[in-house]
Amino acid sequence: MSAQAARSHMSIGEVLALLQGEFPDVTISKIRFLEGEGLIEPERSPSGYRKFTHLHVEQLRFILTEQRDHYLPLRVIKDKMAESFGRPHAVQQAMEIRLSREELLEAAGLDEETLAELEDYGLLEAKARRYDEEALKIARSVGALARFGLHPRHLRAVKAAAERETGLVEQTVAPILKRRAPGAIGEADEVARELSGLLLDLHAALVRTGVGSVLGR
């Protein structure tokens, strides 16, 4: 598995955090049930931990929408999914991206000067002269923020906050890794991903609360 593919994996907690805003009733048990019914097929680490991709999130969003809006039984949804998604592993492989510098500029709608500035401030970097999915997300976000007059130099505080949150994750998983027990790396990976999702959710809620105060809400 490539390093990029590993970074694109999410824990079941991160998946839950992505879906709960749109589907408040979804739970970890519900996701596991849908897996048991064969509607999604997350990968497993050597230690048995589930590894979800963005494709699995889209499949779950499809299933939950069909249940909520059309009250369809799972067997019907499963047939519709086969038409919409085809073979899961083939689609998943197609979603993995490794972009050249020129391809990233085109896909994100950035100019060379902005990309160079992003790299100078450490907001993204190439791996073996290629850019992965996360780099593309960062580049697109920066392009969107530029419409509001926010440029890479203004985003150092965002990077600093992300680094502090990363430090919390590192602090939490360090004791797991020190055990050097079989499966410790897989356990640490799942804990790190679930904790990352929870921190992202908390961060977003705090920002919304702060913005509400600014607006007098």
Side-chain angles (χ1 to χ4, degrees):
M1 180 187 299
S2 70
Q4 189 278 329
R7 283 192 296 275
S8 71
H9 286 142
M10 294 173 280
S11 71
I12 195 168
E14 287 178 286
V15 171
L16 182 66
L18 288 172
L19 293 171
Q20 276 190 319
E22 188 176 355
F23 306 97
D25 295 331
V26 69
T27 62
I28 286 178
S29 296
K30 172 76 169 182
I31 295 172
R32 288 174 175 160
F33 171 76
L34 294 172
E35 178 190 359
E37 293 296 306
L39 277 86
I40 55 170
E41 299 176 6
E43 296 178 38
R44 294 274 183 162
S45 71
S47 304
Y49 293 102
R50 294 172 177 83
K51 299 192 295 183
F52 295 85
T53 67
H54 293 287
L55 173 62
H56 295 126
V57 175
E58 290 308 308
Q59 289 175 325
L60 285 165
R61 187 171 282 118
F62 179 91
I63 295 165
L64 295 169
T65 298
E66 292 297 322
Q67 286 186 313
R68 181 192 64 193
D69 297 348
H70 304 293
Y71 308 100
L72 293 178
L74 291 181
R75 59 180 178 79
V76 176
I77 295 175
K78 193 171 186 178
D79 290 339
K80 292 187 70 173
M81 284 184 66
E83 297 174 3
S84 298
F85 291 94
R87 294 174 61 244
H89 296 297
V91 177
Q92 179 182 326
Q93 290 173 0
M95 290 180 68
E96 294 180 6
I97 57 173
R98 300 280 291 170
L99 301 177
S100 68
R101 192 174 188 84
E102 292 72 22
E103 289 169 336
L104 178 68
L105 290 170
E106 181 178 358
L110 294 183
D111 55 40
E112 177 64 42
E113 182 180 355
T114 302
L115 178 55
E117 194 177 359
L118 275 171
E119 292 177 319
D120 288 344
Y121 285 113
L123 290 163
L124 64 74
E125 63 178 335
K127 305 291 185 183
R129 303 180 67 179
R130 292 282 169 174
Y131 297 88
D132 62 19
E133 181 182 4
E134 295 304 318
L136 177 58
K137 288 180 182 177
I138 292 169
R140 283 177 169 166
S141 295
V142 170
L145 288 167
R147 301 199 306 269
F148 300 92
L150 296 174
H151 301 285
R153 66 183 179 276
H154 301 123
L155 303 176
R156 287 176 289 183
V158 178
K159 181 176 185 293
E163 289 173 344
R164 287 193 295 271
E165 290 169 9
T166 300
L168 290 175
V169 175
E170 184 179 3
Q171 178 182 328
T172 302
V173 301
I176 301 173
L177 293 172
K178 285 181 181 177
R179 293 205 307 261
R180 300 186 182 277
I185 293 178
E187 182 183 353
D189 179 72
E190 180 141 342
V191 168
R193 294 180 187 282
E194 185 161 0
L195 182 56
S196 297
L198 293 169
L199 286 170
L200 284 170
D201 196 36
L202 173 61
H203 184 95
L206 290 171
V207 170
R208 288 192 296 269
T209 300
V211 171
S213 298
V214 170
L215 298 176
R217 293 202 298 261

